[in-house]
Amino acid sequence: MTVLALETSCDETAVAILRGRDDRSGPELLASEVASQIAEHGKYGGIVPEIASRNHLVYAPRLLNSTAMASKIDLSDVDAFAATGGPGLASSLMVGASIAKGLAIGFGKPYLAINHLEGHLLSPFFSGADGEAGIRPNVSLIVSGGHTMLIRVHALCDYQVIGRTVDDAAGEAFDKVAKMLGLTYPGGPEIEKLARNGDPNRFGLPRSMLGSENFSFSGLKTAVRYLLPKIVGRFCETPGEERRLTQTPYKLDDHVLNDLCASFQQAIIDVLMTKTIAAAQKYDVDLVTVSGGVSCNQELRRQLHEACGRNGFEFKNAEPSLCTDNAAMIAFAALLRLQAGFESELTEEIDPNLALVR
Ligand code: KG4
Ligand code: ZN
């Protein structure tokens, strides 16, 4: 069974072709390509929806061609066409979903609308065998630019939301703090790079809502904002002055910048780790998984892996190329759903606020 998937929920245009195997050895990724728009959005410090959708229109047809060539298959041999149906930017989701529907109609094959969060959620199982039967019960942490969630996974399509962020997502906090520090977008990889040479104990930053199953990162971001003028030795006299100062990207000495990045990163890791382990204990699973762009962070992966080991949980994460937005994870979720007998109506509309659990 071969599935072609498009992912255009935000600022990455991605196409992948995935073939399921009969021998229970896990699916074969025939091609997976991502056209990044980081350069186009970087100069605005964030994503501009109009630019994203225009770029999807340019990149998606090119990627369809190049993935078909790379996988050496004819599109008529594809068994189903899938696209991210939400959550995401409406005008971006529309591009991928319309193309997948068009292909499904043209070739007379099923269409599947996949929830972006389910794509992330299942990605740690990508290299595993046994298809949907391989999706074991687990507590899953999704950490991306748009979402921070803890999910209890019972089986494929059977999920329960344990907790979610009440304000900023972890990736969003990385991006916003990076912007304050004058680092380039996306901020997560930049902060991680600088944090490698920094002292995570140098600056005391808050670990919010540790007693709750929900998350909050906006207090941490604000704490960094108010720490910055103090670090540069500029104490604010008036609220207006304070606002002006806190909106300025600061130029810090290299070692102070490294220490601040390390302290900030560690505050995020502590919160994610504490809540994930507590949830795994409470819900009595033996497996913990992590996915989403922030799970590329090597220090998070290392510390979460160690914490799972100490507490007797198996730990699974996806390889980095499957953590940030990509179409292979959408194709994988589509393949598992197709094998389980699901398909979507062609009339199914995209939903920018699509929930993982309806
Ligand atoms: O999953 P993703 O590619 O897109 C969304 O669905 O949002 O996640 C993007 C987020 C960005 O906020 C980016 O800063 C963050 O993932 N990120 C990282 C790292 N790589 C990407 N955060 C921390 N450390 C990283 N190495
Ligand atoms: Zn994502």
Side-chain angles (χ1 to χ4, degrees):
M1 210 174 252
T2 303
V3 174
L4 183 149
L6 293 108
E7 152 61 43
T8 62
S9 65
C10 194
D11 63 332
E12 316 280 8
T13 319
V15 177
I17 302 175
L18 185 70
R19 183 185 287 152
R21 288 193 269 223
D22 300 330
D23 62 358
R24 305 174 71 192
S25 61
E28 183 185 4
L29 189 56
L30 301 179
S32 177
E33 296 186 13
V34 181
S36 170
Q37 301 182 17
I38 284 175
E40 278 102 328
H41 299 273
K43 52 181 176 277
Y44 302 102
I47 293 145
V48 184
E50 170 80 14
I51 295 178
S53 52
R54 282 169 181 262
N55 278 314
H56 289 316
L57 280 172
V58 173
Y59 294 138
R62 293 184 193 168
L63 294 188
L64 274 174
N65 267 335
S66 53
T67 49
M69 299 258 290
S71 59
K72 300 190 177 69
I73 61 155
D74 196 280
L75 289 187
S76 60
D77 295 330
V78 172
D79 297 297
F81 295 92
T84 304
L89 299 169
S91 52
S92 288
L93 289 165
M94 253 180 244
V95 178
S98 304
I99 293 174
K101 286 180 186 181
L103 289 166
I105 293 168
F107 289 108
K109 299 286 170 60
Y111 164 68
L112 287 101
I114 299 296
N115 187 308
H116 182 83
L117 296 170
E118 187 178 40
H120 279 307
L121 181 78
L122 299 175
S123 62
F125 292 94
F126 191 92
S127 54
D130 283 349
E132 58 165 313
I135 309 297
R136 286 161 42 207
N138 66 92
V139 157
S140 179
L141 172 68
I142 304 178
V143 268
S144 70
H147 297 87
T148 300
M149 295 176 99
L150 269 171
I151 312 290
R152 188 176 175 195
V153 175
H154 297 282
L156 180 72
C157 307
D158 187 359
Y159 315 124
Q160 173 192 344
V161 178
I162 299 171
R164 51 159 53 94
T165 180
V166 297
D167 41 53
D168 291 345
E172 201 176 351
F174 269 103
D175 296 336
K176 288 178 175 172
V177 165
K179 196 171 174 183
M180 282 181 225
L181 298 172
L183 305 174
T184 52
Y185 174 86
E190 294 299 305
I191 289 183
E192 175 175 24
K193 219 183 299 163
L194 298 171
R196 277 190 211 123
N197 299 314
D199 172 7
N201 300 313
R202 168 88 180 266
F203 298 108
L205 292 168
R207 274 74 171 151
S208 302
M209 289 177 65
L210 283 185
S212 161
E213 289 181 324
N214 284 329
F215 300 84
S216 166
F217 292 109
S218 96
L220 172 61
K221 172 195 70 188
T222 307
V224 174
R225 175 169 291 156
Y226 284 97
L227 181 64
L228 281 167
K230 293 182 187 157
I231 293 177
V232 294
R234 294 157 75 181
F235 293 97
C236 310
E237 299 289 320
T238 65
E241 175 70 352
E242 185 176 278
R243 194 158 55 244
R244 193 184 64 74
L245 282 176
T246 53
Q247 283 172 354
T248 310
Y250 285 85
K251 187 81 199 88
L252 303 177
D253 289 347
D254 284 353
H255 70 280
V256 179
L257 181 62
N258 294 344
D259 290 349
L260 183 57
C261 287
S263 302
F264 167 77
Q265 176 177 279
Q266 192 56 47
I268 297 230
I269 292 174
D270 283 348
V271 170
L272 295 176
M273 216 163 52
T274 304
K275 286 170 186 279
T276 305
I277 297 295
Q281 285 167 336
K282 177 171 171 183
Y283 296 103
D284 197 23
V285 292
D286 55 21
L287 174 65
V288 167
T289 65
V290 64
S291 60
V294 180
S295 72
C296 284
N297 188 290
Q298 293 298 327
E299 200 50 31
L300 171 65
R301 291 160 86 98
R302 189 185 67 74
Q303 292 189 33
L304 202 50
H305 195 168
E306 269 179 24
C308 285
R310 275 198 307 279
N311 289 280
F313 302 117
E314 189 189 335
F315 175 70
K316 260 186 198 297
N317 54 9
E319 64 171 76
S321 65
L322 292 175
C323 292
T324 47
D325 288 349
N326 65 88
M329 68 181 191
I330 303 301
F332 181 56
L335 179 67
L336 296 187
R337 279 185 166 262
L338 198 63
Q339 287 168 342
F342 285 87
E343 59 180 87
S344 306
E345 297 292 333
L346 282 166
T347 49
E348 182 159 334
E349 293 188 18
I350 54 111
D351 181 353
N353 300 311
L354 187 64
L356 181 64
V357 182
R358 291 197 229 194

